[in-house]
Amino acid sequence: MAYAGSSSWVSVSGKARLVDDREKLREEWDRFTESFFEGGPENPNNVLVLIEGETAEFWDSPGGKVTQLANLAKSLLKKEPIDGENRVVDL
């Protein structure tokens, strides 16, 4: 599972399993979900995924978009990692 914000990213790794819980799916269902999945929460092809996280890794890039693009260009030219903070956490 991964999430990206304006200058931050997080990735969670672990074991995942499908959960066929219609009641919970109905509870979580909204217009946003509807735009990605057809047939509503009663569609048997729509299921929940439970992720039991083992590790999480996050990256934070300083500055706005222009700074991030400059850091990316510098990284590609110098073949060095992008400036920023990176951590791995055991869950």
Side-chain angles (χ1 to χ4, degrees):
M1 177 179 82
Y3 169 80
S6 61
S7 66
S8 301
W9 299 265
V10 67
S11 173
V12 177
S13 299
K15 294 181 180 154
R17 64 182 170 94
L18 298 180
V19 177
D20 189 10
D21 183 339
R22 295 293 130 190
E23 185 175 327
K24 183 67 174 171
L25 190 55
R26 280 191 291 277
E27 180 184 319
E28 298 295 333
W29 200 268
D30 60 18
R31 291 184 60 87
F32 180 77
T33 308
E34 187 75 37
S35 66
F36 288 97
F37 300 99
E38 295 179 357
E42 302 309 322
N43 182 338
N45 292 321
N46 296 330
V47 296
L48 298 169
V49 178
L50 175 66
I51 300 171
E52 296 174 2
E54 294 173 356
T55 62
E57 184 168 7
F58 75 89
W59 300 265
D60 188 30
S61 179
K65 294 288 182 197
V66 174
T67 303
Q68 292 172 20
L69 287 173
N71 279 335
L72 176 60
K74 182 175 102 176
S75 171
L76 292 171
L77 290 172
K78 292 186 172 185
K79 299 192 186 316
E80 295 175 354
I82 292 177
D83 293 337
E85 185 178 357
N86 174 248
R87 297 259 198 277
V88 176
V89 178
D90 290 327
L91 301 176

